[in-house]
C-alpha cells in the first residue's frame, strides 16, 4: 500500500508542533498521547473515535480505533519492514540499537524526523 504523503506530512507537523505531550503504552493517558494517539486524533473522525468515560482515546494502537484509516493501520508494520524497529517500539520502548547500545525511547521530534526520512524524502 502506498502511504499518503499529504496525511503523513500533517502528522509530522503535529508531532513537531509542541501541542502534544507524549506518553507510552496507550493511545492516550490523561492529556498525553503516543505517536499513534496523535494520528488517531487527527485522522479518525471525532464522532467515530472510541473513547473512555473521560473522553480519552481508548486502546493501545490504531487497530483499537475502528475507523482508523487503512494507511494508519498499516504504517507501523510498513515502517518496521523498512527500518527494523516499529514506530510503537520507538515511542514506547526505544528498541533500536546502534553499535550495541539502545537508543532509548524516541521523542515526537525524533519520530517525526524518521517519518520524514522514510515517507516524505524516501531516503531510508
Amino acid at each position: 500500500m502506498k502511504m499518503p504523503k499529504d496525511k503523513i506530512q500533517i502528522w509530522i507537523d503535529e508531532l513537531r508542533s509542541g501541542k502534544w505531550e507524549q506518553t507510552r503504552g496507550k493511545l492516550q493517558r490523561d492529556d498525553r498521547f503516543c505517536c499513534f494517539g496523535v494520528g488517531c486524533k487527527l485522522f479518525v473522525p471525532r464522532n467515530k473515535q472510541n473513547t473512555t468515560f473521560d473522553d480519552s482515546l481508548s486502546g493501545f494502537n490504531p487497530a483499537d480505533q475502528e475507523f482508523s484509516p487503512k494507511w494508519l493501520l498499516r504504517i507501523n508494520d510498513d515502517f518496521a519492514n523498512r527500518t527494523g524497529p516499529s514506530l510503537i517500539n520507538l515511542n514506547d520502548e526505544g528498541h533500536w540499537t546502534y553499535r550495541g547500545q539502545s537508543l532509548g525511547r524516541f521523542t515526537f521530534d525524533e519520530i517525526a524526523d524518521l517519518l520524514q526520512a522514510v515517507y516524505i524524502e524516501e531516503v531510508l
Side-chain angles (χ1 to χ4, degrees), residues 27 39-51 57-58 61-73:
L27 292 173
C40 288
K41 283 301 242 187
L42 294 171
F43 301 110
V44 175
R46 175 103 173 105
N47 64 338
K48 296 189 182 215
Q49 293 174 358
N50 296 330
T51 58
L57 289 173
S58 60
N61 61 61
D64 295 322
Q65 292 291 316
E66 181 180 355
F67 294 96
S68 290
K70 286 181 184 178
W71 70 267
L72 192 60
L73 293 169

Side-chain angles (χ1 to χ4, degrees), residues 3-54:
M3 296 295 163
K5 284 187 177 188
D6 58 334
K7 304 267 193 273
I8 293 171
Q9 187 63 59
I10 291 167
W11 190 21
I12 289 167
D13 293 344
E14 283 296 312
L15 290 172
R16 289 182 175 147
S17 73
K19 293 189 269 185
W20 306 88
E21 283 190 60
Q22 192 171 8
T23 193
R24 62 181 170 180
K26 292 180 78 173
L27 292 173
Q28 183 177 358
R29 187 182 316 267
D30 300 319
D31 290 333
R32 295 171 292 142
F33 299 83
C34 77
C35 63
F36 280 105
V38 173
C40 288
K41 283 301 242 187
L42 294 171
F43 301 110
V44 175
R46 175 103 173 105
N47 64 338
K48 296 189 182 215
Q49 293 174 358
N50 296 330
T51 58
T52 61
F53 67 92
D54 66 351

Side-chain angles (χ1 to χ4, degrees), residues 66-116:
E66 181 180 355
F67 294 96
S68 290
K70 286 181 184 178
W71 70 267
L72 192 60
L73 293 169
R74 294 188 178 144
I75 198 168
N76 191 57
D77 289 336
D78 184 78
F79 184 87
N81 288 336
R82 292 175 188 229
T83 65
S86 70
L87 289 167
I88 289 173
N89 282 339
L90 294 178
N91 186 92
D92 292 352
E93 307 297 332
H95 288 182
W96 201 357
T97 57
Y98 179 73
R99 295 187 180 179
Q101 293 185 2
S102 173
L103 298 178
R105 201 174 121 204
F106 280 48
T107 66
F108 280 166
D109 281 334
E110 292 167 328
I111 291 169
D113 289 345
L114 289 170
L115 288 169
Q116 177 97 26

